[in-house]
Amino acid sequence: MMDTEIPKTAIAYIHSLGRFTGKPGLHRIRALCAALGDPQDRLQFVHIAGTNGKGSTACLTAAALRAAGLRVGLYTSPYLVQFYERIRVDGAMISDADLNRLAGRVAVACESLTLPAGESIGEFEFTTALAFLYFAEQGCDIVVLEAGLGGRCDATNVIRTTEVSVITPISLDHIAVLGDTVAEIAGEKAAIIKPGSAVVCADGQAAEAMVVLRHACEACGAVWYTGAQDCRVLRCDIEGSAFVHDGQGYTIAMPGRHQIENAVTALRTLSALRERGWDIPVEAAVRGLARARMPGRLERLVDQPLVLLDGAHNAAGVEALCRAVDELLKMRRLHVVMGMVRDKEYETCVRKIARRADVFYACTPEADGREVDAHTISALAARECADVHTCRTAEDALGKAISAAQPKDCILVCGSLYLIGETEKILKSRQKMAE
């Protein structure tokens, strides 16, 4: 068991800590990491922030680094099905035994802290410190670290140095916390840029974001890395994509042109690392990108009817999903299963997706009290789609969609990541029963 009394399991304990547990800032995570001996100072990082594409870019980058023979830590959030997904070394999730053991150490460190009145260590801070411990213990050569919320006050920003600071596309999201303009949000994300680091920025940033990012780079003496700009798409279909970048051919398994954009950002990150002395053969990048898989990104779970899961949950993400639907699914009858949470632009997201649906199934995801009621979702969808069904649960909606769909149809499950995780579990359970 653990070194301190923790109810049931480490995961239950971590979830009990809460999301927002004090004033925004790095003072709590700094104190916690110091109590643990600052394990993050023994690690090298690629640090990734942005509104959309962070997880996919992190996954693609980590896969290429692994193919180059490096021992690679990968920290992402949130998880879809299992909490362990968030912390990986060389593609393998942290074990339950290691999670429980290290949670005990972090819990003891938490008890030793003197924090401002009314403040405590939150779930993300606790998990981030635990991940640093694990990556250091595992002897990782490099860690691909995805920021959680924003950048400036995100717990991952406790790191003092980074090899490459990566900024993926920035748009309006979490405006109550990060600001209500793209420039303000860019300022929060740009705070991950460290003195002397390389800075890689995804294509297509808004002009006002670019001004902020460039200024932040210059202000702290970081090096803006542009890298090759050319990209020629050879194939883009539901199986994935093939493209040529800087004269080299690549394939990726994740569908959609937005994933090609994420892959190009990952390739620039690898080039920036090479310039800093890392040995990453081009052949390793080719192998790594081809092998990379990210759940919940137009993830294909069933072939007949085609069942796709996509966790696009803000306006920019849904726009990318709609472009993929228009390009890749235009010949299929489309059944949409959708649920959303309240702190997203759910009205815009629902209407954009419903516009493309032949049949729409609204459901209420299990989202810790943040879910939008299915009746609200169906009322929005009905403005754009003539055939809308209000369903009590994700399982009810998915069951109705599967029953109604013909073999050549497509069922797209999208919206809240909570819904994507629920659907993964439901379909895997159905597959086991069928076996």
Side-chain angles (χ1 to χ4, degrees):
M1 283 298 291
M2 293 181 249
D3 302 326
T4 192
E5 185 178 348
I6 288 180
K8 296 182 182 177
T9 67
I11 295 173
Y13 174 72
I14 291 168
H15 286 327
S16 76
L17 296 175
R19 296 177 69 213
F20 301 106
T21 56
K23 292 181 180 178
L26 298 176
H27 54 288
R28 290 181 300 275
I29 185 67
R30 283 177 178 149
L32 178 55
C33 285
L36 293 166
D38 283 318
Q40 76 280 6
D41 290 349
R42 305 196 296 274
L43 297 164
Q44 305 258 46
F45 294 97
V46 170
H47 198 185
I48 303 178
T51 306
N52 291 102
K54 297 192 302 291
S56 295
T57 302
C59 174
L60 289 157
T61 303
L65 293 172
R66 284 175 56 203
L70 297 168
R71 188 158 176 79
V72 182
L74 176 61
Y75 184 60
T76 58
S77 62
Y79 66 92
L80 288 182
V81 179
Q82 302 181 74
F83 182 90
Y84 313 99
E85 297 167 21
R86 298 176 64 170
I87 304 170
R88 299 175 186 254
V89 172
D90 285 350
M93 294 184 285
I94 187 172
S95 70
D96 188 64
D98 283 331
L99 183 69
N100 278 268
R101 174 176 57 81
L102 293 174
R105 286 184 58 187
V106 179
V108 168
C110 288
E111 292 173 358
S112 74
L113 302 180
T114 302
L115 297 175
E119 295 195 15
S120 60
I121 296 296
E123 175 177 349
F124 190 71
E125 292 162 330
F126 189 103
T127 306
T128 302
L130 188 154
F132 289 147
L133 273 180
Y134 183 64
F135 294 142
E137 183 179 273
Q138 290 290 310
C140 290
D141 298 309
I142 192 165
V143 173
V144 180
L145 185 69
E146 180 191 352
L149 178 61
R152 185 184 310 279
C153 297
D154 188 78
T156 61
N157 206 29
V158 72
I159 64 175
R160 293 180 173 89
T161 62
T162 183
E163 288 292 283
V164 187
S165 304
V166 182
I167 308 294
T168 66
I170 295 171
S171 60
L172 295 176
D173 196 17
H174 298 291
I175 58 176
V177 178
L178 301 180
D180 55 10
T181 69
V182 168
E184 285 180 303
I185 294 172
E188 293 296 314
K189 311 286 187 184
I192 72 162
I193 297 172
K194 300 292 188 290
S197 74
V199 178
V200 168
C201 183
D203 289 333
Q205 296 284 10
E208 56 266 42
M210 286 298 291
V211 170
V212 173
L213 297 173
R214 284 281 196 177
H215 181 265
C217 181
E218 292 168 7
C220 71
V223 180
W224 189 274
Y225 185 82
T226 303
Q229 298 294 308
D230 66 303
C231 182
R232 182 161 52 94
V233 178
L234 304 177
R235 171 179 62 84
C236 182
D237 56 35
I238 204 63
E239 305 290 337
S241 300
F243 63 96
V244 176
H245 176 71
D246 197 19
Q248 174 64 52
Y250 298 91
T251 61
I252 54 173
M254 294 183 282
R257 289 184 184 268
H258 58 292
Q259 294 296 3
I260 299 175
E261 294 165 7
N262 293 331
V264 169
T265 304
L267 289 170
R268 286 187 190 147
T269 302
L270 299 173
S271 295
L273 285 168
R274 288 190 196 101
E275 293 221 347
R276 296 176 69 87
W278 292 82
D279 182 15
I280 308 165
V282 171
E283 296 77 13
V286 172
R287 291 196 309 274
L289 263 61
R291 294 172 183 168
R293 301 289 188 279
M294 189 71 181
R297 274 67 170 183
L298 276 177
E299 179 185 10
R300 189 160 113 189
L301 288 191
V302 181
D303 286 330
Q304 288 192 335
L306 179 64
V307 178
L308 298 175
L309 274 58
D310 195 275
H313 54 273
N314 57 36
V318 165
E319 189 62 44
L321 173 59
C322 287
R323 288 196 299 270
V325 167
D326 293 344
E327 181 174 12
L328 307 179
L329 302 174
K330 57 189 174 186
M331 301 305 291
R332 294 177 184 262
R333 183 171 168 80
L334 185 64
H335 303 252
V336 170
V337 174
M338 192 169 188
M340 293 288 291
V341 294
R342 285 195 306 272
D343 51 358
K344 301 294 178 182
E345 299 169 280
Y346 65 86
E347 297 99 334
T348 300
C349 294
V350 170
R351 293 188 66 175
K352 281 185 177 180
I353 292 291
R355 203 168 296 154
R356 290 158 171 84
D358 293 291
V359 190
F360 191 102
Y361 303 86
C363 63
T364 307
E366 297 176 3
D368 300 329
R370 296 163 58 208
E371 62 274 2
V372 179
D373 183 77
H375 293 279
T376 301
I377 299 294
S378 62
L380 290 166
R383 300 180 190 179
E384 310 291 344
C385 177
D387 192 356
V388 175
H389 303 261
T390 305
C391 304
R392 188 172 48 85
T393 64
E395 186 156 18
D396 181 29
L398 188 61
K400 286 180 178 176
I402 290 172
S403 296
Q406 297 298 309
K408 291 186 178 181
D409 292 355
C410 175
I411 298 170
L412 172 64
V413 183
C414 61
S416 166
L417 288 168
Y418 290 97
L419 174 61
I420 304 307
E422 282 183 68
T423 304
E424 290 257 15
K425 292 177 185 176
I426 293 164
L427 289 176
K428 285 177 181 175
S429 174
R430 281 175 171 244
Q431 287 167 354
K432 283 184 181 177
M433 290 176 64
E435 291 168 2

